[in-house]
Amino acid sequence: MNLNKEDLKAINQSISKQIKKSVEAILEAGKQVDEGQRNYYSATEKLLYSYPALKLKVAQDEDDLSNGIIYTGAKKSKDIAHFSSSRGMRPPEEQVQEELERSRRASMERTQLQVTRIDRALEIIQEDPYYQIIPLKYFDGMSPEDIANLLSCDERTYRRNRSRLVNKLKIVLFGADAL
């Protein structure tokens, strides 16, 4: 089969276009992986900032459980939207109650699990001489200047050690994916 120059040119252009698209897709996928890697640091910081509120929520949930309070009594809840049937009929109240209790218990367990994960991660860095940076920054909301003054170091030392500690925590919290 003999192809003329125009056909060969068209084939080469088509192949070049497909190669270019493939390379762009590969580069974009690599970029997304890189962004995912960088997000573990901010995800760790988000967990640290949320830690005091999560601990409070666990304490409230434990108190509610010990007092027999599971169902909050909300009349309309987005949690029960999946109960809608094709006929538009609402299920019996006891079924709604059971589902809300199950949902609340599951939420309680997820919150407790998250707090436990953070506690374990914090235990690993607890002996570090700059450990206090973590609770002061993320739990107490102190400014970098105040923390540096309290620890008798400059802000650059504070920032370097905060970054180092958060990087250790991200590996403990997210495993090898955070490397």
Side-chain angles (χ1 to χ4, degrees), residues 105-120:
R105 283 189 186 276
S107 175
M108 290 173 172
E109 290 171 5
R110 285 190 305 272
T111 304
Q112 178 61 54
L113 179 63
Q114 200 67 279
V115 167
T116 302
R117 284 181 61 228
I118 298 168
D119 284 338
R120 288 180 181 158

Side-chain angles (χ1 to χ4, degrees), residues 53-70 72 103-112:
L54 290 171
K55 282 187 77 161
L56 178 62
K57 178 69 171 127
V58 166
Q60 288 172 340
D61 288 344
E62 287 172 351
D63 188 47
D64 286 351
L65 276 175
S66 67
N67 293 322
I69 303 169
I70 299 293
T72 59
S103 178
R104 176 124 190 249
R105 283 189 186 276
S107 175
M108 290 173 172
E109 290 171 5
R110 285 190 305 272
T111 304
Q112 178 61 54

Side-chain angles (χ1 to χ4, degrees), residues 2-13:
N2 289 335
L3 297 173
N4 63 33
K5 288 183 180 183
E6 289 178 23
D7 289 339
L8 284 173
K9 185 177 177 180
I11 291 170
N12 282 335
Q13 285 177 343

